[in-house]
Amino acid sequence: MLASATDVAPVSAETVAELMTRHLIGVRGKEVLMITVTYLAGGASLPHRHDAQVFVYVLEGELTMQLKGGAPVTLRPGQTFYEGPSDVHQVSANASQTAPAKILVFMVKDKAKPASRDVTGKEAP
C-alpha cells in the first residue's frame, strides 16, 4: 500500500502508534485521535484522505506533503501541516532516502469513522 517518495516502487510500511483517543466533551459525535507516524528512509503513503481535521507536527527528519490541488511542501522538525475534512492527501513522503522521519498527528474526527481511507474514483490524483 505504500510507495517510494517518487511513487516508483513499494517500500516497507510506515509505523503508526496510537497515543490516545478521547471523546470531545460538548462536541457530540466527535473524538480526538493522537498518533505518531514513522516513515522509513524513502518511505511514502499512497494518496488518502481522513474526513477529519488533521494537525501534523514534525518531530524528526524531513517530509514532503502535498494536498490535491496544492503545491508540495517540505517540512522539518518543529514545522506543521494541516488537512481539512475534504482534502485529499496526495503526497506524504519521507524526503530522505537515508534517514527515518517521524510526525505527531492530532486528528478531530467522527467517532464512527476510520482515521484514514484510500481515495478512489474522481477523488484520486
PDB file of all heavy atoms in Angstrom, residues 27-63:
ATOM      1  N   VAL A  27     -18.950  18.266  22.237  1.00  0.00           N
ATOM      2  CA  VAL A  27     -18.995  18.201  20.777  1.00  0.00           C
ATOM      3  C   VAL A  27     -19.502  16.802  20.417  1.00  0.00           C
ATOM      4  O   VAL A  27     -18.737  15.850  20.318  1.00  0.00           O
ATOM      5  CB  VAL A  27     -17.609  18.470  20.136  1.00  0.00           C
ATOM      6  CG1 VAL A  27     -17.732  18.497  18.618  1.00  0.00           C
ATOM      7  CG2 VAL A  27     -17.013  19.771  20.650  1.00  0.00           C
ATOM      8  N   ARG A  28     -20.796  16.711  20.250  1.00  0.00           N
ATOM      9  CA  ARG A  28     -21.460  15.428  20.030  1.00  0.00           C
ATOM     10  C   ARG A  28     -20.933  14.705  18.784  1.00  0.00           C
ATOM     11  O   ARG A  28     -20.802  15.318  17.716  1.00  0.00           O
ATOM     12  CB  ARG A  28     -22.954  15.673  19.895  1.00  0.00           C
ATOM     13  CG  ARG A  28     -23.778  14.446  19.865  1.00  0.00           C
ATOM     14  CD  ARG A  28     -25.230  14.815  19.825  1.00  0.00           C
ATOM     15  NE  ARG A  28     -26.041  13.621  19.878  1.00  0.00           N
ATOM     16  CZ  ARG A  28     -27.330  13.620  19.870  1.00  0.00           C
ATOM     17  NH1 ARG A  28     -27.977  14.768  19.795  1.00  0.00           N
ATOM     18  NH2 ARG A  28     -27.991  12.501  19.924  1.00  0.00           N
ATOM     19  N   GLY A  29     -20.601  13.434  18.948  1.00  0.00           N
ATOM     20  CA  GLY A  29     -20.209  12.597  17.826  1.00  0.00           C
ATOM     21  C   GLY A  29     -18.773  12.750  17.363  1.00  0.00           C
ATOM     22  O   GLY A  29     -18.363  12.144  16.377  1.00  0.00           O
ATOM     23  N   LYS A  30     -17.969  13.560  18.047  1.00  0.00           N
ATOM     24  CA  LYS A  30     -16.572  13.787  17.638  1.00  0.00           C
ATOM     25  C   LYS A  30     -15.607  13.238  18.686  1.00  0.00           C
ATOM     26  O   LYS A  30     -15.926  13.170  19.870  1.00  0.00           O
ATOM     27  CB  LYS A  30     -16.290  15.286  17.439  1.00  0.00           C
ATOM     28  CG  LYS A  30     -17.098  15.925  16.340  1.00  0.00           C
ATOM     29  CD  LYS A  30     -16.583  15.526  14.982  1.00  0.00           C
ATOM     30  CE  LYS A  30     -17.331  16.281  13.888  1.00  0.00           C
ATOM     31  NZ  LYS A  30     -16.922  15.883  12.567  1.00  0.00           N
ATOM     32  N   GLU A  31     -14.415  12.862  18.201  1.00  0.00           N
ATOM     33  CA  GLU A  31     -13.348  12.425  19.085  1.00  0.00           C
ATOM     34  C   GLU A  31     -12.021  12.953  18.580  1.00  0.00           C
ATOM     35  O   GLU A  31     -11.893  13.353  17.427  1.00  0.00           O
ATOM     36  CB  GLU A  31     -13.305  10.900  19.187  1.00  0.00           C
ATOM     37  CG  GLU A  31     -12.917  10.197  17.913  1.00  0.00           C
ATOM     38  CD  GLU A  31     -12.970   8.675  18.020  1.00  0.00           C
ATOM     39  OE1 GLU A  31     -13.349   8.143  19.081  1.00  0.00           O
ATOM     40  OE2 GLU A  31     -12.637   8.018  17.022  1.00  0.00           O
ATOM     41  N   VAL A  32     -11.030  12.923  19.472  1.00  0.00           N
ATOM     42  CA  VAL A  32      -9.665  13.291  19.126  1.00  0.00           C
ATOM     43  C   VAL A  32      -8.833  12.016  19.117  1.00  0.00           C
ATOM     44  O   VAL A  32      -8.950  11.178  20.010  1.00  0.00           O
ATOM     45  CB  VAL A  32      -9.081  14.281  20.153  1.00  0.00           C
ATOM     46  CG1 VAL A  32      -7.594  14.480  19.928  1.00  0.00           C
ATOM     47  CG2 VAL A  32      -9.805  15.603  20.080  1.00  0.00           C
ATOM     48  N   LEU A  33      -8.014  11.882  18.093  1.00  0.00           N
ATOM     49  CA  LEU A  33      -7.084  10.770  17.984  1.00  0.00           C
ATOM     50  C   LEU A  33      -5.682  11.356  17.877  1.00  0.00           C
ATOM     51  O   LEU A  33      -5.444  12.249  17.063  1.00  0.00           O
ATOM     52  CB  LEU A  33      -7.400   9.939  16.736  1.00  0.00           C
ATOM     53  CG  LEU A  33      -6.408   8.845  16.357  1.00  0.00           C
ATOM     54  CD1 LEU A  33      -6.360   7.755  17.430  1.00  0.00           C
ATOM     55  CD2 LEU A  33      -6.786   8.249  15.009  1.00  0.00           C
ATOM     56  N   MET A  34      -4.769  10.879  18.706  1.00  0.00           N
ATOM     57  CA  MET A  34      -3.362  11.290  18.631  1.00  0.00           C
ATOM     58  C   MET A  34      -2.529  10.066  18.286  1.00  0.00           C
ATOM     59  O   MET A  34      -2.659   9.024  18.936  1.00  0.00           O
ATOM     60  CB  MET A  34      -2.879  11.870  19.964  1.00  0.00           C
ATOM     61  CG  MET A  34      -3.391  13.257  20.237  1.00  0.00           C
ATOM     62  SD  MET A  34      -2.759  13.928  21.807  1.00  0.00           S
ATOM     63  CE  MET A  34      -1.030  14.033  21.470  1.00  0.00           C
ATOM     64  N   ILE A  35      -1.689  10.210  17.246  1.00  0.00           N
ATOM     65  CA  ILE A  35      -0.826   9.117  16.808  1.00  0.00           C
ATOM     66  C   ILE A  35       0.551   9.670  16.454  1.00  0.00           C
ATOM     67  O   ILE A  35       0.703  10.872  16.229  1.00  0.00           O
ATOM     68  CB  ILE A  35      -1.399   8.363  15.586  1.00  0.00           C
ATOM     69  CG1 ILE A  35      -1.544   9.304  14.374  1.00  0.00           C
ATOM     70  CG2 ILE A  35      -2.710   7.675  15.912  1.00  0.00           C
ATOM     71  CD1 ILE A  35      -1.956   8.612  13.074  1.00  0.00           C
ATOM     72  N   THR A  36       1.524   8.782  16.381  1.00  0.00           N
ATOM     73  CA  THR A  36       2.786   9.115  15.737  1.00  0.00           C
ATOM     74  C   THR A  36       2.903   8.222  14.514  1.00  0.00           C
ATOM     75  O   THR A  36       2.413   7.088  14.501  1.00  0.00           O
ATOM     76  CB  THR A  36       4.020   8.898  16.651  1.00  0.00           C
ATOM     77  OG1 THR A  36       4.058   7.547  17.089  1.00  0.00           O
ATOM     78  CG2 THR A  36       4.017   9.864  17.817  1.00  0.00           C
ATOM     79  N   VAL A  37       3.516   8.763  13.471  1.00  0.00           N
ATOM     80  CA  VAL A  37       3.771   8.003  12.246  1.00  0.00           C
ATOM     81  C   VAL A  37       5.259   8.134  11.956  1.00  0.00           C
ATOM     82  O   VAL A  37       5.782   9.251  11.885  1.00  0.00           O
ATOM     83  CB  VAL A  37       2.948   8.539  11.050  1.00  0.00           C
ATOM     84  CG1 VAL A  37       3.228   7.716   9.793  1.00  0.00           C
ATOM     85  CG2 VAL A  37       1.461   8.544  11.375  1.00  0.00           C
ATOM     86  N   THR A  38       5.919   6.989  11.811  1.00  0.00           N
ATOM     87  CA  THR A  38       7.336   6.975  11.475  1.00  0.00           C
ATOM     88  C   THR A  38       7.492   6.404  10.079  1.00  0.00           C
ATOM     89  O   THR A  38       7.019   5.295   9.794  1.00  0.00           O
ATOM     90  CB  THR A  38       8.139   6.121  12.480  1.00  0.00           C
ATOM     91  OG1 THR A  38       7.923   6.634  13.793  1.00  0.00           O
ATOM     92  CG2 THR A  38       9.626   6.147  12.149  1.00  0.00           C
ATOM     93  N   TYR A  39       8.109   7.174   9.193  1.00  0.00           N
ATOM     94  CA  TYR A  39       8.375   6.746   7.822  1.00  0.00           C
ATOM     95  C   TYR A  39       9.819   6.252   7.739  1.00  0.00           C
ATOM     96  O   TYR A  39      10.738   6.953   8.173  1.00  0.00           O
ATOM     97  CB  TYR A  39       8.208   7.907   6.841  1.00  0.00           C
ATOM     98  CG  TYR A  39       6.788   8.341   6.649  1.00  0.00           C
ATOM     99  CD1 TYR A  39       6.229   9.327   7.456  1.00  0.00           C
ATOM    100  CD2 TYR A  39       6.000   7.783   5.649  1.00  0.00           C
ATOM    101  CE1 TYR A  39       4.920   9.730   7.276  1.00  0.00           C
ATOM    102  CE2 TYR A  39       4.689   8.190   5.462  1.00  0.00           C
ATOM    103  CZ  TYR A  39       4.157   9.159   6.278  1.00  0.00           C
ATOM    104  OH  TYR A  39       2.861   9.566   6.105  1.00  0.00           O
ATOM    105  N   LEU A  40      10.022   5.083   7.173  1.00  0.00           N
ATOM    106  CA  LEU A  40      11.366   4.601   6.918  1.00  0.00           C
ATOM    107  C   LEU A  40      12.015   5.478   5.857  1.00  0.00           C
ATOM    108  O   LEU A  40      11.325   6.208   5.136  1.00  0.00           O
ATOM    109  CB  LEU A  40      11.325   3.154   6.445  1.00  0.00           C
ATOM    110  CG  LEU A  40      10.761   2.157   7.453  1.00  0.00           C
ATOM    111  CD1 LEU A  40      10.736   0.758   6.845  1.00  0.00           C
ATOM    112  CD2 LEU A  40      11.558   2.181   8.743  1.00  0.00           C
ATOM    113  N   ALA A  41      13.317   5.418   5.737  1.00  0.00           N
ATOM    114  CA  ALA A  41      14.030   6.164   4.696  1.00  0.00           C
ATOM    115  C   ALA A  41      13.412   5.857   3.339  1.00  0.00           C
ATOM    116  O   ALA A  41      13.198   4.695   2.999  1.00  0.00           O
ATOM    117  CB  ALA A  41      15.509   5.791   4.704  1.00  0.00           C
ATOM    118  N   GLY A  42      13.068   6.889   2.585  1.00  0.00           N
ATOM    119  CA  GLY A  42      12.469   6.716   1.263  1.00  0.00           C
ATOM    120  C   GLY A  42      11.014   6.290   1.281  1.00  0.00           C
ATOM    121  O   GLY A  42      10.411   6.107   0.230  1.00  0.00           O
ATOM    122  N   GLY A  43      10.402   6.160   2.436  1.00  0.00           N
ATOM    123  CA  GLY A  43       9.018   5.681   2.545  1.00  0.00           C
ATOM    124  C   GLY A  43       7.988   6.751   2.252  1.00  0.00           C
ATOM    125  O   GLY A  43       8.239   7.937   2.408  1.00  0.00           O
ATOM    126  N   ALA A  44       6.819   6.291   1.816  1.00  0.00           N
ATOM    127  CA  ALA A  44       5.720   7.215   1.495  1.00  0.00           C
ATOM    128  C   ALA A  44       4.392   6.481   1.594  1.00  0.00           C
ATOM    129  O   ALA A  44       4.331   5.265   1.486  1.00  0.00           O
ATOM    130  CB  ALA A  44       5.900   7.767   0.081  1.00  0.00           C
ATOM    131  N   SER A  45       3.327   7.245   1.798  1.00  0.00           N
ATOM    132  CA  SER A  45       1.972   6.702   1.799  1.00  0.00           C
ATOM    133  C   SER A  45       1.347   6.934   0.438  1.00  0.00           C
ATOM    134  O   SER A  45       1.637   7.929  -0.223  1.00  0.00           O
ATOM    135  CB  SER A  45       1.108   7.413   2.847  1.00  0.00           C
ATOM    136  OG  SER A  45       1.628   7.239   4.136  1.00  0.00           O
ATOM    137  N   LEU A  46       0.451   6.044   0.048  1.00  0.00           N
ATOM    138  CA  LEU A  46      -0.339   6.272  -1.159  1.00  0.00           C
ATOM    139  C   LEU A  46      -1.346   7.381  -0.874  1.00  0.00           C
ATOM    140  O   LEU A  46      -1.652   7.668   0.291  1.00  0.00           O
ATOM    141  CB  LEU A  46      -1.060   4.992  -1.566  1.00  0.00           C
ATOM    142  CG  LEU A  46      -0.167   3.879  -2.109  1.00  0.00           C
ATOM    143  CD1 LEU A  46      -0.996   2.621  -2.381  1.00  0.00           C
ATOM    144  CD2 LEU A  46       0.539   4.322  -3.386  1.00  0.00           C
ATOM    145  N   PRO A  47      -1.906   8.006  -1.919  1.00  0.00           N
ATOM    146  CA  PRO A  47      -2.916   9.049  -1.693  1.00  0.00           C
ATOM    147  C   PRO A  47      -4.058   8.532  -0.813  1.00  0.00           C
ATOM    148  O   PRO A  47      -4.498   7.388  -0.955  1.00  0.00           O
ATOM    149  CB  PRO A  47      -3.394   9.377  -3.103  1.00  0.00           C
ATOM    150  CG  PRO A  47      -2.210   9.067  -3.969  1.00  0.00           C
ATOM    151  CD  PRO A  47      -1.597   7.838  -3.343  1.00  0.00           C
ATOM    152  N   HIS A  48      -4.495   9.392   0.091  1.00  0.00           N
ATOM    153  CA  HIS A  48      -5.539   9.015   1.043  1.00  0.00           C
ATOM    154  C   HIS A  48      -6.247  10.277   1.542  1.00  0.00           C
ATOM    155  O   HIS A  48      -5.857  11.384   1.211  1.00  0.00           O
ATOM    156  CB  HIS A  48      -4.922   8.260   2.227  1.00  0.00           C
ATOM    157  CG  HIS A  48      -3.915   9.069   2.980  1.00  0.00           C
ATOM    158  ND1 HIS A  48      -2.603   9.217   2.562  1.00  0.00           N
ATOM    159  CD2 HIS A  48      -4.014   9.819   4.110  1.00  0.00           C
ATOM    160  CE1 HIS A  48      -1.954   9.988   3.405  1.00  0.00           C
ATOM    161  NE2 HIS A  48      -2.792  10.385   4.353  1.00  0.00           N
ATOM    162  N   ARG A  49      -7.273  10.074   2.338  1.00  0.00           N
ATOM    163  CA  ARG A  49      -7.947  11.188   2.999  1.00  0.00           C
ATOM    164  C   ARG A  49      -8.377  10.748   4.382  1.00  0.00           C
ATOM    165  O   ARG A  49      -8.445   9.553   4.668  1.00  0.00           O
ATOM    166  CB  ARG A  49      -9.109  11.711   2.172  1.00  0.00           C
ATOM    167  CG  ARG A  49     -10.230  10.729   1.943  1.00  0.00           C
ATOM    168  CD  ARG A  49     -11.340  11.285   1.098  1.00  0.00           C
ATOM    169  NE  ARG A  49     -11.906  12.451   1.743  1.00  0.00           N
ATOM    170  CZ  ARG A  49     -12.528  13.426   1.091  1.00  0.00           C
ATOM    171  NH1 ARG A  49     -12.670  13.367  -0.212  1.00  0.00           N
ATOM    172  NH2 ARG A  49     -13.015  14.449   1.737  1.00  0.00           N
ATOM    173  N   HIS A  50      -8.674  11.725   5.219  1.00  0.00           N
ATOM    174  CA  HIS A  50      -9.018  11.420   6.598  1.00  0.00           C
ATOM    175  C   HIS A  50     -10.457  11.768   6.968  1.00  0.00           C
ATOM    176  O   HIS A  50     -10.927  11.315   7.998  1.00  0.00           O
ATOM    177  CB  HIS A  50      -8.058  12.143   7.547  1.00  0.00           C
ATOM    178  CG  HIS A  50      -6.638  11.725   7.369  1.00  0.00           C
ATOM    179  ND1 HIS A  50      -6.144  10.525   7.804  1.00  0.00           N
ATOM    180  CD2 HIS A  50      -5.602  12.343   6.767  1.00  0.00           C
ATOM    181  CE1 HIS A  50      -4.870  10.418   7.498  1.00  0.00           C
ATOM    182  NE2 HIS A  50      -4.512  11.518   6.865  1.00  0.00           N
ATOM    183  N   ASP A  51     -11.141  12.576   6.170  1.00  0.00           N
ATOM    184  CA  ASP A  51     -12.503  13.018   6.509  1.00  0.00           C
ATOM    185  C   ASP A  51     -12.511  13.615   7.920  1.00  0.00           C
ATOM    186  O   ASP A  51     -13.441  13.398   8.693  1.00  0.00           O
ATOM    187  CB  ASP A  51     -13.502  11.869   6.400  1.00  0.00           C
ATOM    188  CG  ASP A  51     -13.531  11.247   5.016  1.00  0.00           C
ATOM    189  OD1 ASP A  51     -13.482  11.994   4.022  1.00  0.00           O
ATOM    190  OD2 ASP A  51     -13.588  10.005   4.913  1.00  0.00           O
ATOM    191  N   ALA A  52     -11.463  14.364   8.244  1.00  0.00           N
ATOM    192  CA  ALA A  52     -11.289  14.917   9.585  1.00  0.00           C
ATOM    193  C   ALA A  52     -10.418  16.165   9.497  1.00  0.00           C
ATOM    194  O   ALA A  52      -9.852  16.450   8.445  1.00  0.00           O
ATOM    195  CB  ALA A  52     -10.609  13.877  10.479  1.00  0.00           C
ATOM    196  N   GLN A  53     -10.330  16.877  10.615  1.00  0.00           N
ATOM    197  CA  GLN A  53      -9.339  17.940  10.705  1.00  0.00           C
ATOM    198  C   GLN A  53      -8.068  17.298  11.245  1.00  0.00           C
ATOM    199  O   GLN A  53      -8.087  16.657  12.302  1.00  0.00           O
ATOM    200  CB  GLN A  53      -9.812  19.047  11.641  1.00  0.00           C
ATOM    201  CG  GLN A  53     -10.978  19.822  11.064  1.00  0.00           C
ATOM    202  CD  GLN A  53     -11.279  21.013  11.918  1.00  0.00           C
ATOM    203  OE1 GLN A  53     -10.550  22.008  11.912  1.00  0.00           O
ATOM    204  NE2 GLN A  53     -12.351  20.926  12.675  1.00  0.00           N
ATOM    205  N   VAL A  54      -6.961  17.471  10.507  1.00  0.00           N
ATOM    206  CA  VAL A  54      -5.709  16.801  10.858  1.00  0.00           C
ATOM    207  C   VAL A  54      -4.614  17.848  11.050  1.00  0.00           C
ATOM    208  O   VAL A  54      -4.356  18.653  10.158  1.00  0.00           O
ATOM    209  CB  VAL A  54      -5.297  15.798   9.752  1.00  0.00           C
ATOM    210  CG1 VAL A  54      -4.000  15.099  10.114  1.00  0.00           C
ATOM    211  CG2 VAL A  54      -6.410  14.788   9.504  1.00  0.00           C
ATOM    212  N   PHE A  55      -3.973  17.803  12.210  1.00  0.00           N
ATOM    213  CA  PHE A  55      -2.887  18.710  12.551  1.00  0.00           C
ATOM    214  C   PHE A  55      -1.620  17.872  12.706  1.00  0.00           C
ATOM    215  O   PHE A  55      -1.603  16.926  13.498  1.00  0.00           O
ATOM    216  CB  PHE A  55      -3.193  19.445  13.863  1.00  0.00           C
ATOM    217  CG  PHE A  55      -4.498  20.186  13.819  1.00  0.00           C
ATOM    218  CD1 PHE A  55      -5.701  19.548  14.117  1.00  0.00           C
ATOM    219  CD2 PHE A  55      -4.533  21.538  13.475  1.00  0.00           C
ATOM    220  CE1 PHE A  55      -6.910  20.238  14.074  1.00  0.00           C
ATOM    221  CE2 PHE A  55      -5.744  22.231  13.440  1.00  0.00           C
ATOM    222  CZ  PHE A  55      -6.928  21.580  13.737  1.00  0.00           C
ATOM    223  N   VAL A  56      -0.591  18.204  11.926  1.00  0.00           N
ATOM    224  CA  VAL A  56       0.655  17.426  11.906  1.00  0.00           C
ATOM    225  C   VAL A  56       1.792  18.290  12.429  1.00  0.00           C
ATOM    226  O   VAL A  56       1.921  19.461  12.057  1.00  0.00           O
ATOM    227  CB  VAL A  56       0.971  16.960  10.459  1.00  0.00           C
ATOM    228  CG1 VAL A  56       2.321  16.271  10.390  1.00  0.00           C
ATOM    229  CG2 VAL A  56      -0.138  16.054   9.931  1.00  0.00           C
ATOM    230  N   TYR A  57       2.632  17.688  13.278  1.00  0.00           N
ATOM    231  CA  TYR A  57       3.819  18.347  13.809  1.00  0.00           C
ATOM    232  C   TYR A  57       5.011  17.426  13.533  1.00  0.00           C
ATOM    233  O   TYR A  57       4.982  16.249  13.903  1.00  0.00           O
ATOM    234  CB  TYR A  57       3.659  18.575  15.309  1.00  0.00           C
ATOM    235  CG  TYR A  57       4.849  19.254  15.963  1.00  0.00           C
ATOM    236  CD1 TYR A  57       4.990  20.632  15.905  1.00  0.00           C
ATOM    237  CD2 TYR A  57       5.819  18.509  16.631  1.00  0.00           C
ATOM    238  CE1 TYR A  57       6.077  21.266  16.513  1.00  0.00           C
ATOM    239  CE2 TYR A  57       6.896  19.137  17.231  1.00  0.00           C
ATOM    240  CZ  TYR A  57       7.021  20.505  17.167  1.00  0.00           C
ATOM    241  OH  TYR A  57       8.090  21.132  17.760  1.00  0.00           O
ATOM    242  N   VAL A  58       6.034  17.932  12.861  1.00  0.00           N
ATOM    243  CA  VAL A  58       7.198  17.115  12.525  1.00  0.00           C
ATOM    244  C   VAL A  58       8.125  17.016  13.739  1.00  0.00           C
ATOM    245  O   VAL A  58       8.590  18.025  14.260  1.00  0.00           O
ATOM    246  CB  VAL A  58       7.958  17.691  11.308  1.00  0.00           C
ATOM    247  CG1 VAL A  58       9.162  16.811  10.982  1.00  0.00           C
ATOM    248  CG2 VAL A  58       7.037  17.815  10.105  1.00  0.00           C
ATOM    249  N   LEU A  59       8.371  15.776  14.146  1.00  0.00           N
ATOM    250  CA  LEU A  59       9.254  15.514  15.284  1.00  0.00           C
ATOM    251  C   LEU A  59      10.701  15.286  14.849  1.00  0.00           C
ATOM    252  O   LEU A  59      11.627  15.764  15.493  1.00  0.00           O
ATOM    253  CB  LEU A  59       8.766  14.282  16.061  1.00  0.00           C
ATOM    254  CG  LEU A  59       7.388  14.404  16.705  1.00  0.00           C
ATOM    255  CD1 LEU A  59       6.918  13.043  17.187  1.00  0.00           C
ATOM    256  CD2 LEU A  59       7.424  15.401  17.842  1.00  0.00           C
ATOM    257  N   GLU A  60      10.870  14.501  13.763  1.00  0.00           N
ATOM    258  CA  GLU A  60      12.212  14.129  13.301  1.00  0.00           C
ATOM    259  C   GLU A  60      12.228  14.042  11.786  1.00  0.00           C
ATOM    260  O   GLU A  60      11.234  13.659  11.172  1.00  0.00           O
ATOM    261  CB  GLU A  60      12.602  12.746  13.841  1.00  0.00           C
ATOM    262  CG  GLU A  60      12.624  12.603  15.325  1.00  0.00           C
ATOM    263  CD  GLU A  60      12.805  11.153  15.764  1.00  0.00           C
ATOM    264  OE1 GLU A  60      13.160  10.297  14.925  1.00  0.00           O
ATOM    265  OE2 GLU A  60      12.568  10.885  16.947  1.00  0.00           O
ATOM    266  N   GLY A  61      13.366  14.356  11.184  1.00  0.00           N
ATOM    267  CA  GLY A  61      13.549  14.176   9.748  1.00  0.00           C
ATOM    268  C   GLY A  61      12.867  15.252   8.924  1.00  0.00           C
ATOM    269  O   GLY A  61      12.492  16.311   9.428  1.00  0.00           O
ATOM    270  N   GLU A  62      12.703  14.946   7.637  1.00  0.00           N
ATOM    271  CA  GLU A  62      12.054  15.855   6.691  1.00  0.00           C
ATOM    272  C   GLU A  62      11.018  15.095   5.889  1.00  0.00           C
ATOM    273  O   GLU A  62      11.275  13.980   5.439  1.00  0.00           O
ATOM    274  CB  GLU A  62      13.082  16.462   5.738  1.00  0.00           C
ATOM    275  CG  GLU A  62      14.095  17.347   6.417  1.00  0.00           C
ATOM    276  CD  GLU A  62      15.067  17.984   5.434  1.00  0.00           C
ATOM    277  OE1 GLU A  62      14.923  17.802   4.213  1.00  0.00           O
ATOM    278  OE2 GLU A  62      15.980  18.672   5.908  1.00  0.00           O
ATOM    279  N   LEU A  63       9.860  15.709   5.707  1.00  0.00           N
ATOM    280  CA  LEU A  63       8.781  15.092   4.934  1.00  0.00           C
ATOM    281  C   LEU A  63       8.293  16.034   3.855  1.00  0.00           C
ATOM    282  O   LEU A  63       8.247  17.243   4.062  1.00  0.00           O
ATOM    283  CB  LEU A  63       7.598  14.754   5.845  1.00  0.00           C
ATOM    284  CG  LEU A  63       7.887  13.619   6.792  1.00  0.00           C
ATOM    285  CD1 LEU A  63       7.778  14.099   8.191  1.00  0.00           C
ATOM    286  CD2 LEU A  63       6.968  12.473   6.509  1.00  0.00           C
TER     287      LEU A  63
END
